Amino acid sequence: MAANSKPMKNLVNNLLLKFSILICALFVACSSPSENKTNTTNKGEQQFELLEKSVADLQQDMQDGQYTSEQITQLYLDRIRQIDEGENGLNAVIEINPDALTIARDLDKERSAGKTRGPLHGIPVLIKDNIDTGDNMSTSAGSLALANSKAANDAYIMGKLRKAGAVLLGKTNLSEWANFRSFRSSSGWSSRGRQTRNPYYLDRNPCGSSSGSGVAVSANLCAIAIGTETNGSVVCPSSANGVVGIKPTVGLWSRTGIIPISKTQDTAGPMARTVADAATLLGALTGMDPNDPVTTESQGKSYTDYTQFLIKEGLKGKRVGVYRGAFGDHEKVDAIMETAIEAMTAQGAIIIDSVDIPTNNQYGSSGFDLLQYEFKDGLNKYLANLGADVAVHSLEELIRYNENNRAECMPYFEQEILELSQKKEGLESEKYQEVLAKVLRLSRTEGLDATLSTHQLDAIVAPTGGPAWPIDVVNGDHFSISSSSPAARSGYPNITVPAGNINGLPVGISFFAGPYQEPQLISMAYSFEQATQARIVPQMLPTLEME
């Protein structure tokens, strides 16, 4: 990109606002938590019999003989066909697993024989389409270039998911290349899957890049889902779609077999309707993977069961810092946050107001530079290992493929981020090493570590983002509020929980803290969730009516 075509500063600012899967939606309602709460949709179907059922509910139903896993799986598949597919559907699911019912049937046989593998046994799950599955489905990151790419093996976390007894329903649509393609992209749009829609108002954006996973969970297309995040890609679509999202500490879950952006910031994470369900999924997929060395750092710091930290009094006595750097852009979001702070105070939290993260404005272009270096390196390694029948085997070939198939791959926006990344040097370069050191210093030692230590905080809270904006594939996303970067850049955990709604559009509150502090974040998030009950069930209305 020519230096005089657009100031790089603006490009970087735009990316940090929207990229990395950016960040949307916050907290406690301008309307009451019960407003717009309904168990019906605008599609005219009868009430879905599994509506809002939790993992524990479904497990109890199977134990009592009310349902089999096969029956539950079929009900979710029917719902996907009813409200997700078609011209006016949500378009959250990019591919159905043809083996889903067979998997469920086999798990039912195990249960009948007296064997259950744990809390996920027989539970239907959807995963983001940048996670390898060694089966009959493709792994494409939403790109037409990889539409027929069949992974040779499961991603590490996918193997853990199967071992836990989950039923893989299929894969979810996403912002193509996890939103690392263009500064003007529309979150939830991919050349393979096209545009995913927000289940509250179908003309609203679902945020991204884990768009399909957030929408699928919210619209009850599955029990739980998995997304991935580099910067905001789990927490933003969770917030915008009224669900819980956990962005774990980098290293808690393996990244082997996940199409990469950044080895410093990438992680997969749970997306669910409740903190309890997200915690159940979180523990099932932890573990040290020899092919992902960063996971060795989790030794002695991870758990296989995070549900033990679901404590209703989890906020009592906790020192919670309020980061007001994400306030001031939307008065109704600010009002939701103030209500959230009151709710936390009522639960016994000690509020430390207006804490600052002093390094937030010191990165310049280094945060974006880091991602470009690591994206080029990681993607080239991933693509190089794909089969000979796949169309592309390098970033350079991908760029060329998109140009040669412009009408289908780039009908609305370009691939300037891919092109900028291609120009970067390798990870052995001095420039990369300098950028990496700067980002880690500013985000960790002088950033969150310093803030948490100075104020002796157990966690920091901030609005996850603003209410969902109208879909706009021509001009791209319209982000305004973002709080994902501090936890994303440092690789530290972040949990978003529904906190309220603005005219029926959900907004969430983020809790973030130091590395491997998932237990106390889950306790605080659960305490807040139980006290506020702010989630509203989507009605899939066509648009927000103007009076």
Side-chain angles (χ1 to χ4, degrees):
M1 181 173 292
N4 62 358
S5 66
K6 198 171 191 180
M8 180 58 71
K9 180 178 179 182
N10 288 343
L11 295 178
V12 171
N13 287 341
N14 286 340
L15 182 73
L16 294 178
L17 259 188
K18 83 155 310 200
F19 152 61
S20 259
I21 343 248
L22 307 86
I23 322 312
C24 197
L26 198 149
F27 331 55
V28 180
C30 270
S31 48
S32 69
S34 61
E35 183 179 342
N36 298 312
K37 202 163 191 175
T38 175
N39 288 339
T40 62
T41 74
N42 200 44
K43 289 282 185 175
E45 83 275 14
Q46 292 182 339
Q47 179 174 307
F48 180 49
E49 58 188 281
L50 302 181
L51 193 75
E52 298 293 283
K53 278 188 176 279
S54 68
V55 168
D57 292 336
L58 294 173
Q59 204 59 251
Q60 189 65 52
D61 286 344
M62 287 186 284
Q63 182 178 322
D64 294 344
Q66 184 173 345
Y67 292 105
T68 63
S69 176
E70 182 180 2
Q71 290 170 331
I72 291 170
T73 300
Q74 186 65 64
L75 285 167
Y76 280 124
L77 290 173
D78 290 345
R79 184 163 174 84
I80 290 169
R81 294 187 180 99
Q82 182 180 30
I83 69 172
D84 190 67
E85 297 176 358
E87 184 178 350
N88 298 314
L90 294 168
N91 203 35
V93 180
I94 202 169
E95 186 171 0
I96 291 290
N97 183 7
D99 302 318
L101 288 171
T102 300
I103 294 169
R105 207 171 293 128
D106 289 342
L107 290 164
D108 284 332
K109 291 177 182 177
E110 289 186 17
R111 187 183 295 273
S112 295
K115 176 186 176 182
T116 55
R117 304 186 189 187
L120 293 182
H121 189 106
I123 301 295
V125 180
L126 284 164
I127 69 169
K128 190 175 178 179
D129 185 38
N130 59 350
I131 301 172
D132 283 349
T133 54
D135 53 20
N136 293 311
M137 292 187 291
S138 297
T139 303
S140 70
S143 171
L144 281 176
L146 300 187
N148 299 310
S149 178
K150 303 288 196 297
N153 302 293
D154 279 339
Y156 181 88
I157 60 169
M158 189 59 232
K160 298 276 287 186
L161 191 65
R162 292 191 200 274
K163 187 176 180 180
V167 178
L168 179 58
L169 276 179
K171 294 193 172 184
T172 56
N173 196 22
L174 67 158
S175 311
E176 187 172 322
W177 298 112
N179 232 359
F180 208 68
R181 201 193 96 176
S182 173
F183 296 108
R184 209 182 62 250
S185 63
S186 172
S187 287
W189 187 94
S190 70
S191 57
R192 181 184 175 210
R194 315 320 272 188
Q195 182 68 51
T196 299
R197 297 171 180 172
N198 191 297
Y200 290 89
Y201 296 106
L202 299 179
D203 61 351
R204 294 273 164 167
N205 195 281
C207 200
S209 64
S210 303
S211 311
S213 294
V215 170
V217 167
S218 185
N220 286 263
L221 303 183
C222 59
I224 43 179
I226 296 176
T228 67
E229 174 163 329
T230 304
N231 187 342
S233 281
V234 165
V235 295
C236 181
S238 295
S239 177
N241 295 289
V243 300
V244 174
I246 301 179
K247 196 284 289 187
T249 304
V250 173
L252 191 67
W253 280 12
S254 166
R255 288 86 53 81
T256 301
I258 300 176
I259 298 176
I261 291 179
S262 166
K263 67 176 186 177
T264 301
Q265 295 180 201
D266 285 353
T267 182
M271 302 172 77
R273 289 182 292 274
T274 66
V275 175
D277 283 358
T280 299
L281 181 55
L282 182 67
L285 305 193
T286 60
M288 289 180 287
D289 172 15
N291 294 314
D292 186 359
V294 73
T295 60
T296 61
E297 298 173 11
S298 70
Q299 186 172 12
K301 304 171 186 173
S302 67
Y303 298 83
T304 57
D305 178 13
Y306 284 91
T307 62
Q308 62 185 298
F309 304 110
L310 299 171
I311 303 168
K312 285 189 176 181
E313 299 78 27
L315 280 163
K316 187 175 182 179
K318 294 297 192 303
R319 292 175 61 86
V320 179
V322 179
Y323 173 57
R324 291 194 175 269
F327 285 59
D329 287 318
H330 196 304
E331 71 283 355
K332 292 186 177 180
V333 171
D334 291 350
I336 286 173
M337 269 305 290
E338 297 301 339
T339 305
I341 292 167
E342 292 174 5
M344 287 185 284
T345 301
Q347 293 301 303
I350 302 166
I351 301 298
I352 313 301
D353 210 343
S354 300
V355 301
D356 186 30
I357 304 172
T359 56
N360 266 1
N361 297 318
Q362 297 177 22
Y363 290 87
S365 66
S366 58
F368 180 40
D369 287 341
L370 175 71
L371 301 183
Q372 293 175 80
Y373 279 113
E374 294 186 346
F375 177 70
K376 179 182 180 181
D377 177 79
L379 188 63
N380 276 335
K381 289 174 179 174
Y382 179 88
L383 295 175
N385 289 320
L386 298 182
D389 56 335
V390 177
V392 300
H393 293 88
S394 69
L395 176 56
E396 183 178 17
E397 290 182 6
L398 170 62
I399 293 169
R400 189 180 310 123
Y401 178 94
N402 288 340
E403 284 290 351
N404 292 339
N405 297 274
R406 171 171 285 275
E408 291 181 302
C409 295
M410 299 192 291
Y412 305 117
F413 48 86
E414 300 294 313
Q415 57 177 345
E416 63 271 24
I417 296 176
L418 302 185
E419 294 165 350
L420 287 169
S421 299
Q422 175 60 24
K423 295 176 182 178
K424 290 296 184 184
E425 303 171 60
L427 300 191
E428 73 286 348
S429 70
E430 185 176 340
K431 290 181 180 179
Y432 166 72
Q433 295 298 329
E434 290 174 354
V435 164
L436 176 61
K438 180 179 179 180
V439 170
L440 294 181
R441 173 175 57 83
L442 292 176
S443 65
R444 297 181 183 179
T445 311
E446 299 176 12
L448 277 184
D449 291 345
T451 301
L452 292 164
S453 176
T454 298
H455 300 283
Q456 298 180 305
L457 301 176
D458 294 296
I460 297 172
V461 296
T464 310
W469 57 95
I471 293 170
D472 187 347
V473 294
V474 176
N475 297 301
D477 293 331
H478 309 307
F479 293 100
S480 58
I481 301 168
S482 164
S483 66
S484 66
S485 289
R489 286 170 172 160
S490 61
Y492 293 172
N494 187 0
I495 301 180
T496 183
V497 181
N501 72 90
I502 297 173
N503 299 109
L505 289 166
V507 291
I509 181 169
S510 284
F511 295 76
F512 45 97
Y516 299 102
Q517 294 302 304
E518 283 84 357
Q520 71 176 15
L521 288 180
I522 286 170
S523 292
M524 288 184 275
Y526 181 73
S527 178
F528 176 83
E529 174 196 56
Q530 295 303 299
T532 58
Q533 296 292 320
R535 170 168 160 77
I536 56 175
V537 180
Q539 299 181 56
M540 287 165 276
L541 299 172
T543 191
L544 177 59
E545 296 292 342
M546 304 288 288
E547 294 184 0

